[in-house]
Amino acid sequence: MAKKEAKTDFWVYGLLKEAGIELEPQGSSIKEINDALKTASKAGSGKVGFPEFVGLVKDFLLIIENKADVAKHVKRTKGDTISAAVKDVKDCAVNGALFYGKHLAKNTSYNKIIAFGISGDEKQHHISPIFIDETEYYRELPDVESFISFNEENIEEYYTREILEEETDHDKELHEILKDAAELHEDLRNYGNLKDIDKPLVVSGILLALRESEYKNFSTDDLVGDDTVSTDGDKIFKAIASNLKRSNVRPDVKRDKILSQFAIIKDTQILNEINTTLGKTPLKHFTEFLNQRIYRSIRYTSSSEDYLGRFYGEFMSYSGGDGQTLGIVLTPKHITDLFCELVDIQPDDIVFDPCAGTAGFLIAAMHHMIAQADTDEQKKNIRQKQLHGLELQPYMFTIATTNMILRGDGKSNLVNHNFLKESPSKIQLNGATVGMMNPPYSQGSKKNPDLYEIAFTEHLLDSLTEGGRAVVIVPQSSMTGKSSDEKAIKGNILKKHTLEGVITLNSDTFYGVGTLPCIAIFTANEPHPKGKECRFIDFREDGYKINPHIGLVETEQAKDRKQHLLDVWFDRIEAATNFCVKTSIEKDDEWLHSFYYFNDMMPTEREFEAVITDFLAFEYLMIVKNRSYLFEGLSWHDVTQEEIEDLVEKDWEEFFLKSIFKEVQRGKRLKKDNQVPGKMPYISSTSLNNGVDNFIGNNTGVRIFSDCLTVANSGSVGSSFYHPYSFVASDHVTHLANNEFSKYIYLFIAALTNRLSEKYNFNREINDKRISREKIMLPVTEEGEPDFEYMEQYMKNLVARKRIQYNTFLSTAEKHPDAGK
């Protein structure tokens, strides 16, 4: 055990070092802490006791208690509190951490203590923080994967968000941005009568004009509503033209194209007439608003935030649209930053975004590259020569160009062209080493296969230098290859390029759009090596959640989750397969974590108990509803308890479902209107009532099964039930049968097939091909074969315990009939 404990200590030390935290092992050089530890024996003897690590980060005292075995992570009381019993404090990580935290809170002057109970190793572990104050009050906090949230840079933000549950300065700034966007949108509508796509153009044009005020070439004071010589729109338009020249936007045709988009400012009469409510022209009102509220944030910020993109998205959402008809889905800032980190962007990289949108990726890349640059000349080069983009939509191109100019990109290498019509060999001449892309969504079809997201991806890869890194965010369906054209493109990609991995994202990443996205990372123009291991990661739990009034917002878990993702991506740590699967691939595979993953963790007793409990509850419900005929011949009288090995003592191996079951067949569609009332259960995709959706009398044109399992293909995907009776199966379920199995074996396996629900969702259902690849873990004999005798006896023992529970309840109720009233 000592060797295992040392391994855990070493792993934890590495996590602390990576986060930039220095804690001391087995004691403290701070006298007050060390003196308190002299009486901190976990046995309660008043003698010396030391946690594994202790130390200060700012004014927070951090304590770490480790255990090598995840089974010794925490022991709870019947009331679900952390047990303070001496044995549990000694044996379990969380209990020990809480003990030390309370002791130091009582015996030192420190009143902000975070104690960590940690168990396991880098692949399988739990890291549980607990906050303790001077009153010895404690609060359990969400588990973490790293200590990144607890270093000097982040710990106060963690404290504000997670412990005080208050807004940080960043949160408040975001609220102000959204508030300003809402107010400005309302004014643009009320005083300007503008179309949806014109609102962001007016905003970006005014921001460019305000840039000229720094050169004394424009002032809001000049906007006086004079329509005889030069209107306010004329003055703003002239300032825009001057700033485009000053920013060295070339060639002239590009500058003219941008100016033509801004013509609305001088040509729209309502914008240039004095509004009686405002007492000025709407243009002057908008200009004053933007100057006071927005301009300085955009112009002088060092953030990678795409402010104009944020405004564009807000305007579109308030207007009842968001560009989705054109497949435009703007990328959130945390994703543009993540792109830069996944490709380890460097200051000498040349970045290319062929679907630039509002230039969010280019802004993020510029921010990350400049942060690493050593000289002013290098920073100038990044801004003027190393950021390239294409954008098809003229108004988006104009917004993107404005965005880059406002952020200091003097040249702005953006072109208003159709990426798919550009020759990859010509684009390659730009020497792009990094490609970033969020292509238009849902535009491809059999008639237009070039518009599939995977086709955009191939075109981007062809356009990069040899060895270039490409990272794209696309719908998960792009990685499955729904159509024959998409499958063919996937094959072409592997012939010329290398897939490094795919990261499944939070389904709310594009809030309100209804797209399930993923990130795919490639190395360009290097054929995919046969047998190469790719990484497939499940990053749905990314630390972001939906705030109904704001949209997608960052929680304090976000930093920790991202750090864990990057550690796994760059092979700094190993991860459990439920987070990352490393595997070789084929072109016909679905390039997603859910395709390659199966739950290889040993099951818990709770999983089997849930199956038995639900089945017995269903049986009782059917009997009281006069449907006892379903269970004729089903008896529990053969239940006898026998001493057998615990689950943890058995060896477990993986098996394909098709190797366990002799019959695997989907049911048949039967519409509601065609269902005839009767006595036979109709099994569909519900997760309730043992899968029974109705009772019908149909006996032709249907598929009838009995004494088997079903797994839901859609709806409550993965829900699995045992059926001892005859039933009609809908096409939403697949039946699994082996006539050598008893009811106990079926119920045992149902607990494991239920795990399929982890992998599937409404957008990715179980089909025949997918279920043919599915595997489950089973206990095995010494010969490595499924131990069906063990499975049967294990479930018999559980049923026996449930019967004892039930009989005890009945006995108690008879003796105390008024109990509970």
Side-chain angles (χ1 to χ4, degrees):
M1 179 58 75
K3 186 175 180 182
K4 288 185 178 180
E5 295 281 7
K7 184 179 178 182
T8 301
D9 293 347
F10 186 74
W11 163 65
V12 171
Y13 174 77
L15 288 179
L16 289 168
K17 186 175 181 181
E18 185 178 0
I21 299 173
E22 292 187 13
L23 302 184
E24 296 179 86
Q26 300 295 313
S28 175
S29 58
I30 299 172
K31 187 176 185 304
E32 182 184 11
I33 297 173
N34 209 53
D35 286 348
L37 291 175
K38 288 178 181 178
T39 58
S41 167
K42 289 189 285 187
S45 64
K47 295 182 179 180
V48 68
F50 295 118
E52 265 68 43
F53 297 95
V54 66
L56 290 176
V57 175
K58 292 194 172 179
D59 59 343
F60 295 86
L61 180 60
L62 270 53
I63 300 162
I64 294 175
E65 178 72 357
N66 300 337
K67 293 296 175 186
D69 188 350
V70 291
K72 294 187 175 181
H73 185 65
V74 63
K75 181 72 172 179
R76 296 186 178 276
T77 66
K78 289 183 178 179
D80 205 35
T81 60
I82 298 170
S83 171
V86 170
K87 183 179 186 305
D88 299 329
V89 167
K90 284 182 173 182
D91 289 350
C92 299
V94 171
N95 305 68
L98 178 60
F99 170 84
Y100 282 123
K102 284 189 169 186
H103 182 85
L104 289 173
K106 183 177 181 180
N107 294 284
T108 70
S109 60
Y110 296 102
N111 55 24
K112 288 191 288 190
I113 298 172
I114 303 177
F116 298 85
I118 303 176
S119 62
D121 54 29
E122 69 174 4
K123 190 169 183 180
Q124 185 181 353
H125 56 258
H126 301 293
I127 305 176
S128 302
I130 307 168
F131 177 73
I132 306 158
D133 64 20
E134 70 274 14
T135 68
E136 298 182 58
Y137 157 83
Y138 75 88
R139 179 173 153 205
E140 295 183 66
L141 302 167
D143 279 13
V144 296
E145 291 287 349
S146 73
F147 293 107
I148 194 71
S149 295
F150 306 95
N151 61 20
E152 287 201 0
E153 183 180 349
N154 298 320
I155 195 165
E156 288 179 345
E157 182 181 339
Y158 179 90
Y159 177 70
T160 301
R161 272 187 173 159
E162 195 65 60
I163 297 169
L164 298 183
E165 297 181 321
E166 296 177 356
E167 287 187 338
T168 64
D169 290 342
H170 174 78
D171 295 330
K172 292 172 184 174
E173 179 188 359
L174 176 58
H175 289 184
E176 287 301 314
I177 290 172
L178 298 179
K179 182 181 174 183
D180 289 342
E183 187 176 339
L184 182 56
H185 168 265
E186 196 70 18
D187 288 352
L188 287 164
R189 183 180 64 183
N190 291 339
Y191 303 126
N193 198 25
L194 293 165
K195 296 178 183 177
D196 290 349
I197 66 171
D198 291 335
K199 293 167 189 172
L201 285 172
V202 170
V203 170
S204 57
I206 291 173
L207 290 171
L208 280 182
L210 285 170
R211 197 162 180 259
E212 274 300 286
S213 63
E214 297 176 31
Y215 303 96
K216 312 298 183 186
N217 195 32
F218 176 75
S219 171
T220 54
D221 294 337
D222 297 334
L223 305 179
V224 294
D226 181 6
D227 59 1
T228 57
V229 179
S230 179
T231 66
D232 288 356
D234 289 329
K235 293 168 185 174
I236 293 172
F237 188 80
K238 182 180 178 183
I240 294 170
S242 297
N243 198 253
L244 290 175
K245 285 184 179 180
R246 195 183 302 280
S247 301
N248 199 26
V249 175
R250 293 183 296 180
D252 289 348
V253 66
K254 175 181 177 180
R255 190 166 66 244
D256 292 344
K257 186 176 287 189
I258 294 170
L259 272 173
S260 70
Q261 291 290 306
F262 291 130
I264 184 176
I265 292 173
K266 65 183 179 65
D267 294 341
T268 304
Q269 186 175 352
I270 192 173
L271 295 178
N272 288 281
E273 294 176 340
I274 292 178
N275 181 281
T276 54
T277 302
L278 296 171
K280 62 187 83 170
T281 66
L283 280 176
K284 180 166 186 174
H285 173 68
F286 302 150
T287 305
E288 289 174 339
F289 182 97
L290 287 165
N291 191 36
Q292 293 166 10
R293 307 273 194 96
I294 309 300
Y295 175 68
R296 294 189 178 278
S297 294
I298 298 177
R299 180 76 178 90
Y300 300 109
T301 185
S302 60
S303 165
S304 59
E305 179 74 70
D306 172 13
Y307 288 92
L308 271 183
R310 170 79 69 173
F311 265 67
Y312 173 83
E314 288 303 308
F315 290 165
M316 293 301 101
S317 65
Y318 281 114
S319 303
D322 56 4
Q324 289 181 53
T325 55
L326 297 169
I328 297 168
V329 184
L330 298 179
T331 314
K333 173 185 176 294
H334 71 282
I335 297 296
T336 61
D337 283 336
L338 181 59
F339 269 40
C340 297
E341 291 163 306
L342 287 169
V343 297
D344 191 22
I345 201 162
Q346 298 297 311
D348 58 349
D349 275 317
I350 296 173
V351 181
F352 173 55
D353 180 356
C355 303
T358 59
F361 284 129
L362 296 178
I363 288 169
M366 180 169 67
H367 174 75
H368 284 263
M369 293 162 73
I370 286 175
Q372 300 176 68
D374 297 322
T375 66
D376 289 341
E377 183 63 28
Q378 194 176 21
K379 292 176 183 178
K380 182 180 178 182
N381 247 14
I382 291 169
R383 288 189 174 99
Q384 295 192 351
K385 298 179 181 179
Q386 295 173 225
L387 304 166
H388 298 263
L390 296 174
E391 174 52 47
L392 174 62
Q393 303 297 333
Y395 67 95
M396 293 292 279
F397 164 70
T398 301
I399 294 168
T401 303
T402 303
N403 219 352
M404 295 302 291
I405 291 172
L406 289 169
R407 300 302 291 267
D409 173 11
K411 189 175 180 189
S412 192
N413 298 295
L414 286 164
V415 180
N416 180 204
H417 279 182
N418 184 341
F419 170 51
L420 295 180
K421 292 185 177 179
E422 294 287 326
S423 165
S425 57
K426 180 182 175 183
I427 298 174
Q428 269 188 345
L429 296 177
N430 290 325
T433 57
V434 172
M436 299 181 175
M437 183 176 63
N438 178 1
Y441 288 3
S442 305
Q443 304 297 295
S445 65
K446 289 184 178 180
K447 291 183 178 179
N448 293 295
D450 289 345
L451 297 181
Y452 285 125
E453 296 90 347
I454 195 71
F456 274 88
T457 301
E458 182 183 24
H459 205 60
L460 171 61
L461 290 165
D462 291 343
S463 302
L464 301 179
T465 57
E466 184 176 336
R469 294 102 71 205
V471 54
V472 301
I473 183 166
V474 293
Q476 291 176 29
S477 57
S478 298
M479 296 293 105
T480 65
K482 303 187 304 295
S483 67
S484 57
D485 287 313
E486 290 171 287
K487 287 182 172 69
I489 293 169
K490 286 173 64 181
N492 288 338
I493 286 175
L494 295 185
K495 289 176 184 176
K496 298 179 288 182
H497 313 287
T498 298
L499 176 65
E500 300 295 343
V502 177
I503 301 167
T504 302
L505 296 177
N506 185 338
S507 60
D508 289 319
T509 299
F510 296 122
Y511 174 58
V513 176
T515 295
L516 298 177
C518 62
I519 293 173
I521 302 96
F522 299 86
T523 298
N525 294 299
E526 292 181 1
H528 191 92
K530 188 173 180 60
K532 172 186 169 61
E533 279 197 338
C534 302
R535 294 172 183 80
F536 296 93
I537 293 176
D538 181 356
F539 194 52
R540 289 176 295 173
E541 298 296 325
D542 63 355
Y544 283 79
K545 66 178 183 180
I546 294 300
N547 182 315
H549 304 294
I550 296 174
L552 195 67
V553 295
E554 179 183 6
T555 70
E556 190 43 50
Q557 286 82 47
K559 287 186 178 68
D560 172 68
R561 303 279 165 78
K562 184 170 82 167
Q563 184 63 49
H564 182 59
L565 168 68
L566 294 173
D567 286 342
V568 171
W569 181 255
F570 288 109
D571 264 339
R572 293 192 283 262
I573 62 173
E574 281 287 321
T577 56
N578 65 345
F579 184 77
C580 177
V581 175
K582 293 181 181 178
T583 181
S584 59
I585 64 168
E586 299 292 339
K587 64 182 177 65
D588 292 332
D589 289 354
E590 298 174 17
W591 295 342
L592 293 170
H593 175 269
S594 54
F595 180 80
Y596 300 102
Y597 165 70
F598 88 100
N599 191 333
D600 60 355
M601 301 293 289
M602 190 190 70
T604 63
E605 182 173 297
R606 185 176 296 180
E607 292 176 82
F608 298 106
E609 192 173 57
V611 168
I612 284 291
T613 301
D614 289 347
F615 183 82
L616 293 177
F618 168 71
E619 182 183 29
Y620 176 77
L621 178 65
M622 291 297 99
I623 291 170
V624 298
K625 287 191 173 185
N626 298 316
R627 295 192 185 274
S628 58
Y629 61 86
L630 293 174
F631 306 99
E632 290 176 2
L634 182 72
S635 170
W636 302 107
H637 294 297
D638 59 343
V639 170
T640 54
Q641 278 193 291
E642 292 183 13
E643 196 73 31
I644 58 172
E645 296 170 282
D646 289 337
L647 295 172
V648 294
E649 295 171 342
K650 286 292 292 182
D651 290 329
W652 295 73
E653 296 289 343
E654 61 190 61
F655 295 89
F656 283 101
L657 289 178
K658 64 183 181 182
S659 71
I660 302 168
F661 294 100
K662 296 179 179 180
E663 297 177 33
V664 178
Q665 187 181 21
R666 181 185 286 259
K668 192 171 182 179
R669 175 163 296 188
L670 181 63
K671 294 180 179 179
K672 195 80 173 176
D673 293 344
N674 296 329
Q675 294 176 19
V676 177
K679 298 177 64 176
M680 188 175 293
Y682 178 68
I683 307 301
S684 189
S685 58
T686 177
S687 62
L688 305 173
N689 205 32
N690 217 53
V692 177
D693 189 56
N694 197 6
F695 285 88
I696 65 174
N698 304 66
N699 53 25
T700 58
V702 295
R703 286 183 181 156
I704 299 175
F705 305 110
S706 66
D707 196 30
C708 63
L709 294 185
T710 58
V711 175
N713 306 317
S714 58
S716 301
V717 192
S719 294
S720 187
F721 299 103
Y722 167 58
H723 308 280
Y725 39 76
S726 295
F727 65 92
V728 174
S730 81
D731 62 325
H732 295 297
V733 298
T734 294
H735 101 290
L736 308 170
N738 185 327
N739 57 15
E740 295 178 5
F741 287 176
S742 69
K743 56 182 175 290
Y744 301 106
I745 295 172
Y746 274 127
L747 288 165
F748 187 98
I749 294 176
L752 301 166
T753 48
N754 261 317
R755 291 177 160 194
L756 296 179
S757 59
E758 302 169 345
K759 300 180 53 172
Y760 295 97
N761 52 54
F762 70 92
N763 203 46
R764 185 174 183 273
E765 301 177 345
I766 297 176
N767 56 32
D768 292 345
K769 180 180 177 182
R770 287 168 179 162
I771 205 164
S772 71
R773 299 185 73 259
E774 288 300 346
K775 296 182 286 188
I776 57 173
M777 298 292 290
L778 291 176
V780 294
T781 62
E782 291 182 358
E783 292 76 28
E785 296 298 321
D787 194 340
F788 295 116
E789 288 184 11
Y790 175 84
M791 299 180 212
E792 176 147 341
Q793 189 58 54
Y794 184 87
M795 297 308 278
K796 283 182 176 180
N797 289 353
L798 271 182
V799 171
R801 294 214 303 264
K802 289 296 172 187
R803 290 180 67 185
I804 291 170
Q805 278 183 297
Y806 182 63
N807 290 333
T808 301
F809 170 78
L810 289 180
S811 175
T812 304
E814 288 172 1
K815 290 178 181 177
H816 306 283
D818 295 329
K821 288 186 179 179

